[in-house]
Amino acid sequence: MSSMGGRDLESGGTKNTSRAPPQAAAVSSSSSSYAYDPETHWTSWLVPMFVVANIAVFIVAMYINDCPKNNIGLQGNCVARFLGRFSFQPLRENPLLGPSSSTLRKMGGLEWDNVVNKHQAWRLVTCIWLHAGIIHLLANMLSLVFIGIRLEQQFGFVRIGIIYLVSGFGGSVLSTLFIRNNISVGASGALFGLLGAMLSELFTNWTIYSNKAMALITLLVIIVINLALGILPHVDNFAHIGGFLTGFLLGFILLPRPQFGWLEQRHLPAGVRLKSKYKAYQYVLWILSLLLLIAGLSIALVMLFRGENGYDHCHWCHYLTCVPTSKWKCNDT
């Protein structure tokens, strides 16, 4: 997700915090090592529709932004002026080639004051469809295509759509609990939810994987690298973490596969058929994940709308989203 505002680079320039998109080029390796694949493969249409919707919203944002009109006297600073009202804000204001922070705020960007004090809870959802710039948009949409299409083909549009949207919401809630002075936008929380769901899907379907160790190592490396990128300046890692945790729990709930032999047993005599579609540990993980998900989101929402600051309950959590160095400093508020 991207936040207009945030950590101040000592070198100056615009204050812009982005949810870094997951780098997903190798993510499909974990889903290619099943011992068997009994499930129907769906045609992916929802993920492409998500991509189209995000692009359409960005075009609308640039139309509303109208850089030449809203920067009278500074038209020469608008980037790609040949695009007319679709030209980008000056690079010193938005280096990601996109609209202004005021436009993002107007269109539903995530901001603590608007959500809590002005009761605009809808921003927890609308911010998922906004992007700070064309670079931010392209990076997120490429990641969504790499991750989402493969998952939708395996598990269908209903389950993957739920994981994407609820994870984006979970990322927005955690982000707003900790970040108060920034405007956050972006789909990265939802994308990290898909990564989290891939990890829990591997765990809950552990017995049907043929190359378990390699699948787990590959996925963990991808996740760790992408979460580590969140400690860089201008990146809202709380949205990443919130989306990842939400997706991780949803994976146990929505992505368990039948135990080996379940679908083939219709050809077997009744006396030798499996009694349960899923293994006992899958049911346990399903129940625990459902309880944790409900409790976690409920507690977080209560804290948020009571106006509580997440840092009051976790003083070290600022290190999860920003690690100060000689090149930049962090603003915990």
Side-chain angles (χ1 to χ4, degrees):
M1 195 180 248
S2 175
S3 297
M4 307 302 290
R7 304 159 207 153
D8 299 333
L9 288 177
E10 291 186 350
S11 58
T14 185
K15 299 178 182 179
N16 187 340
T17 307
S18 301
R19 294 181 183 180
Q23 306 303 310
V27 82
S28 62
S29 62
S30 64
S31 51
S32 62
S33 31
Y34 292 111
Y36 78 116
D37 188 7
E39 297 195 8
T40 304
H41 278 238
W42 284 266
T43 299
S44 176
W45 64 268
L46 184 62
V47 168
M49 286 298 296
F50 282 163
V51 173
V52 171
N54 277 277
I55 294 174
V57 171
F58 181 75
I59 293 174
V60 171
M62 294 308 304
Y63 179 86
I64 294 174
N65 187 68
D66 196 358
C67 179
K69 179 180 178 181
N70 294 318
N71 290 270
I72 297 176
L74 299 173
Q75 292 94 330
N77 291 328
C78 294
V79 179
R81 285 183 298 162
F82 64 89
L83 295 175
R85 68 182 299 150
F86 293 96
S87 58
F88 308 115
Q89 288 297 113
L91 290 178
R92 66 174 180 274
E93 180 181 345
N94 187 348
L96 296 178
L97 300 178
S100 65
S101 58
S102 60
T103 298
L104 293 174
R105 182 185 292 110
K106 182 188 304 182
M107 292 192 64
L110 187 63
E111 191 174 32
W112 181 87
D113 182 62
N114 285 324
V115 172
V116 177
N117 294 329
K118 298 181 181 178
H119 310 292
Q120 298 175 358
W122 47 269
R123 291 178 179 271
L124 295 168
V125 177
T126 55
C127 66
I128 302 170
W129 305 96
L130 295 167
H131 286 83
I134 193 168
I135 297 175
H136 187 207
L137 174 70
L138 291 176
N140 271 346
M141 293 306 99
L142 286 174
S143 297
L144 177 57
V145 168
F146 277 116
I147 301 173
I149 288 181
R150 185 64 177 267
L151 285 174
E152 186 181 354
Q153 288 173 341
Q154 292 185 347
F155 296 101
F157 71 93
V158 174
R159 287 182 280 184
I160 299 308
I162 292 174
I163 292 172
Y164 181 87
L165 295 174
V166 177
S167 296
F169 176 78
S172 297
V173 171
L174 189 64
S175 173
T176 315
L177 269 175
F178 286 92
I179 299 178
R180 295 198 168 195
N181 298 330
N182 304 340
I183 303 171
S184 281
V185 293
S188 299
L191 294 174
F192 271 84
L194 295 180
L195 283 179
M198 290 185 70
L199 182 61
S200 55
E201 189 271 331
L202 172 60
F203 288 142
T204 195
N205 301 315
W206 187 256
T207 57
I208 67 173
Y209 271 85
S210 61
N211 193 0
K212 305 170 185 177
M214 183 57 64
L216 178 60
I217 292 173
T218 300
L219 195 51
L220 285 177
V221 168
I222 294 171
I223 292 169
V224 169
I225 290 175
N226 281 284
L227 287 176
L229 291 175
I231 66 175
L232 295 175
H234 310 311
V235 179
D236 179 4
N237 214 23
F238 287 118
H240 298 170
I241 295 170
F244 176 81
L245 293 176
T246 303
F248 183 71
L249 294 175
L250 284 171
F252 288 120
I253 299 169
L254 297 176
L255 304 184
R257 295 177 183 265
Q259 59 177 309
F260 185 82
W262 172 261
L263 297 180
E264 291 79 7
Q265 68 176 347
R266 61 180 177 271
H267 303 298
L268 300 176
V272 296
R273 291 181 182 178
L274 297 172
K275 295 182 179 180
S276 176
K277 184 176 182 179
Y278 301 104
K279 290 184 176 292
Y281 77 88
Q282 290 177 304
Y283 287 110
V284 172
L285 289 172
W286 188 92
I287 294 173
L288 290 176
S289 298
L290 182 62
L291 293 175
L292 288 172
L293 181 64
I294 294 174
L297 286 178
S298 299
I299 293 172
L301 286 171
V302 169
M303 291 175 60
L304 175 61
F305 289 107
R306 287 177 59 184
E308 296 188 28
N309 191 327
Y311 288 120
D312 293 337
H313 303 274
C314 181
H315 300 291
W316 55 269
C317 282
H318 61 277
Y319 291 114
L320 294 176
T321 194
C322 181
V323 176
T325 70
S326 59
K327 299 295 183 181
W328 63 75
K329 52 187 177 181
C330 302
N331 183 351
D332 293 346
T333 62

